[in-house]
Amino acid sequence: MHITQLNRECLLHLFSFLDKNSRKNLAKTCHKLLEVFQDPLLWSLLNFHSPMELKKDNFLLGPALKYLSICWYSERVKVCNIEDWMKNSFQRDFCNRHENTVSDFLLDVCNRCPNLLSLTLSGCGHVTDDSILLLLQNCPKLRTLKLENCVRITDQTLQAVTLHGGSLQTLHVDFCRNITRAGLERVREKCPSVLLRAERSANMIPDSQPEKKLTLEKASRKLVQL
């Protein structure tokens, strides 16, 4: 039996074992397999391992998407985590290439994927509170939100959770240095049913403007002199 003689359900099952590139390559072989590739039922789960993967034409984004993960563990993440005003020209050029990539992709998710149940972002240093706010507003069924090493995430995201995370059951904000203990306590108070985890977040040194750092350094020197 030729593969194209299999029924739609069998073909969808076979496609489900393939990665995104393999699905795309197989879809190029004939019209019937292209239709399977374009079936929304095939795309309920999406995993990405770098921002650049979001620009590839090897997946389908639609209302069937329920589980989304963008986890970037490259050494290059460290460059994105440097405070903007401390970056040199090389580091700024590197970040400019993909600074809005994840945020723009999440905007597409907001517009096309209202049934999203779970979102995991790790190492996405350019994702902002505004992106998470829009996601919570446009994906009301979201039950799990896991943010790790997302340095631009602040207490504004925690506030958005208390206002728009009505379906949220699990919230992780690990190694997000601009999250404060007060923001975490506010979530625990207003959303007691949410399983909240914040590994190291409230204990890390938050970002601060250069003039604030200078003031702190002067104060420290005065204390040493005393």
Side-chain angles (χ1 to χ4, degrees):
M1 177 182 289
H2 193 272
I3 186 174
T4 56
Q5 294 177 289
L6 296 173
N7 62 34
R8 187 63 162 254
E9 289 74 19
C10 289
L11 289 173
L12 283 169
H13 185 65
L14 289 175
F15 264 76
S16 69
F17 291 99
L18 303 176
D19 60 32
K20 295 187 290 294
N21 284 333
S22 298
R23 292 178 183 180
K24 181 67 174 181
N25 291 333
L26 186 57
K28 292 178 180 178
T29 59
C30 74
H31 182 71
K32 182 173 182 178
L33 295 180
L34 176 60
E35 289 181 347
V36 176
F37 175 84
Q38 295 173 337
D39 192 322
L41 294 177
L42 185 63
W43 303 102
S44 62
L45 168 66
L46 280 174
N47 293 316
F48 299 94
H49 304 290
S50 80
M52 294 302 100
E53 289 186 17
L54 304 176
K55 295 185 176 182
K56 293 184 177 180
D57 185 27
N58 61 358
F59 62 90
L60 186 69
L61 202 60
L65 181 64
K66 294 184 178 180
Y67 305 94
L68 172 62
S69 172
I70 307 172
C71 296
W72 194 24
Y73 298 116
S74 168
E75 284 293 313
R76 298 177 179 180
V77 171
K78 295 180 181 178
V79 176
C80 300
N81 287 349
I82 298 173
E83 295 180 51
D84 290 340
W85 46 83
M86 294 180 64
K87 291 175 181 174
N88 58 38
S89 58
F90 170 79
Q91 292 165 337
R92 282 194 290 270
D93 288 342
F94 172 77
C95 290
N96 286 339
R97 298 174 199 166
H98 64 269
E99 182 169 5
N100 297 317
T101 301
V102 178
S103 296
D104 290 345
F105 181 81
L106 291 178
L107 182 59
D108 282 341
V109 171
C110 291
N111 294 328
R112 303 185 191 182
C113 310
N115 299 311
L116 189 69
L117 299 178
S118 175
L119 172 66
T120 299
L121 300 177
S122 180
C124 299
H126 298 298
V127 171
T128 64
D129 297 313
D130 290 339
S131 296
I132 303 302
L133 170 61
L134 284 174
L135 193 93
L136 289 168
Q137 291 175 329
N138 290 277
C139 303
K141 298 180 181 179
L142 191 69
R143 296 200 300 248
T144 300
L145 177 60
K146 296 181 179 180
L147 306 174
E148 179 186 45
N149 201 15
C150 297
V151 296
R152 292 192 181 184
I153 295 301
T154 72
D155 285 359
Q156 291 183 34
T157 285
L158 300 182
Q159 183 178 10
V161 166
T162 64
L163 296 174
H164 306 287
S167 299
L168 210 61
Q169 299 174 0
T170 300
L171 174 64
H172 291 179
V173 281
D174 298 331
F175 297 91
C176 297
R177 66 176 181 243
N178 290 302
I179 293 292
T180 70
R181 193 171 299 280
L184 294 172
E185 290 302 325
R186 194 175 301 113
V187 173
R188 291 190 177 100
E189 177 186 350
K190 297 191 175 183
C191 308
S193 62
V194 173
L195 181 61
L196 177 62
R197 191 181 80 182
E199 186 175 349
R200 295 286 301 276
S201 289
N203 297 323
M204 300 178 76
I205 300 175
D207 293 350
S208 57
Q209 296 291 340
E211 58 270 16
K212 292 182 180 179
K213 287 188 175 182
L214 184 61
T215 302
L216 289 173
E217 289 174 0
K218 289 181 179 178
S220 298
R221 285 196 291 267
K222 286 182 180 180
L223 286 175
V224 171
Q225 292 173 356
L226 293 175

